[in-house]
Amino acid sequence: MTTISIITCVTGEPESLRKTAQSISPYLSQQLNWVIKFSDKSAESFIEGFKASYVAIYRQADSSLYEAMNQALELCNSEYYMVLGAGDALLPEGIEALCAQLTSRPSHAPSYHAPLIFATTGTVFMPQPDAMKYFMSCPHPSSLLKVKNSIAINGFNINYQIASDYDHLSRYAITFGVGETLNLPPLVSYMGGGISDVRALEAFIEETLIRIRIWKASDIRIMGDLLNHSALNISNNIRHNFP
């Protein structure tokens, strides 16, 4: 039986976590469990409301999201894991189809990648594992990775503040292979509005550094991408602000 842990790392007491809990709770079982890693800044009274069967709750100090992710990985006892932020939600059609697929056939791939939908726009993000060297081509919340593999490559790099998920997926793909794309309805509704959106330019710079450091992208390709990114942003700014 394939087992999956859903990891959620939490700072403070976000009300949006209740939406995530409501979407996960109908599917909790021996096959699917939820690991919630709270920081020491989260109140015990808030944490108490999420205790349930097949929910593992931990409270520990951390210096960043990615240190919290590494702490949570060490607490997983499943074969695979996926990551949801507070406010993200499992989608019934997607998770039911995923469980059916993983039950009906052996799970052998190093990773699985499913579609994701952006909650604010309704846009569907289709994974493209073979394009990982060019951009974050697989949505992190709807990717299933093997726990032991992620730990073997030293988890998430805490030197990145925003794009460590891209760094991790890139190192994972190089080490273990790109995995399989799942033909499913969207698995996750992604809330968005987090640090990667608020600090979008910094996120782009970190992703560019990862392409240089991990994927060994050529200087000319990187300069072309920087030029393209800058030109699009400047032209859009002019179009919307200078009639």
Side-chain angles (χ1 to χ4, degrees):
M1 180 177 66
T2 303
T3 55
I4 302 167
S5 291
I6 298 171
I7 292 176
T8 303
C9 297
V10 183
T11 298
E13 298 87 33
E15 282 300 312
S16 57
L17 186 62
R18 302 188 193 282
K19 175 183 176 182
T20 306
Q22 289 171 359
S23 76
I24 294 173
S25 60
Y27 307 102
L28 291 171
S29 65
Q30 289 184 325
Q31 184 179 12
L32 181 73
N33 66 82
W34 190 18
V35 176
I36 316 176
K37 195 274 157 185
F38 289 94
S39 79
D40 60 341
K41 299 178 178 63
S42 300
E44 292 284 1
S45 57
F46 179 77
I47 294 172
E48 189 70 25
F50 296 93
K51 292 182 177 179
S53 298
Y54 305 109
V55 178
I57 291 176
Y58 302 90
R59 184 176 185 267
Q60 184 179 355
D62 57 67
S63 61
S64 68
L65 168 62
Y66 297 116
E67 183 180 25
M69 284 290 304
N70 289 336
Q71 292 169 344
L73 269 176
E74 295 288 347
L75 300 168
C76 290
N77 56 12
S78 59
E79 184 179 4
Y80 291 89
Y81 75 98
M82 57 187 289
V83 179
L84 293 186
D88 296 344
L90 289 181
L91 295 173
E93 279 190 87
I95 187 61
E96 289 168 10
L98 172 67
C99 291
Q101 279 199 24
L102 296 183
T103 300
S104 63
R105 61 185 175 91
S107 53
H108 57 80
S111 57
Y112 295 98
H113 306 282
L116 169 151
I117 191 166
F118 290 95
T120 53
T121 64
T123 304
V124 175
F125 185 172
M126 299 297 295
Q128 303 174 60
D130 292 330
M132 187 70 71
K133 66 185 294 183
Y134 302 115
F135 66 103
M136 180 68 166
S137 62
C138 292
H140 190 213
S142 55
S143 290
L144 279 71
L145 310 182
K146 286 194 172 185
V147 173
K148 68 176 184 179
N149 288 356
S150 283
I151 292 174
I153 58 171
N154 299 317
F156 292 80
N157 187 339
I158 63 173
N159 293 317
Y160 294 106
Q161 295 186 28
I162 303 171
S164 190
D165 50 356
Y166 179 44
D167 170 86
H168 187 79
L169 284 171
S170 295
R171 290 186 291 113
Y172 192 103
I174 289 170
T175 306
F176 303 109
V178 297
E180 294 185 8
T181 301
L182 293 171
N183 183 21
L184 303 175
L187 178 61
V188 171
S189 172
Y190 174 66
M191 184 174 72
I195 191 171
S196 61
D197 295 325
V198 174
R199 293 157 60 183
L201 177 58
E202 188 177 350
F204 172 75
I205 292 170
E206 285 196 354
E207 288 175 11
T208 302
L209 287 171
I210 290 162
R211 291 180 54 222
I212 295 169
R213 294 168 176 172
I214 305 300
W215 292 105
K216 312 302 181 187
S218 66
D219 288 354
I220 190 65
R221 175 61 192 251
I222 292 298
M223 287 187 283
D225 290 344
L226 290 169
L227 180 62
N228 182 64
H229 183 85
S230 301
L232 284 173
N233 279 278
I234 292 168
S235 64
N236 285 337
N237 185 283
I238 292 171
R239 182 182 303 155
H240 290 105
N241 294 293
F242 298 92

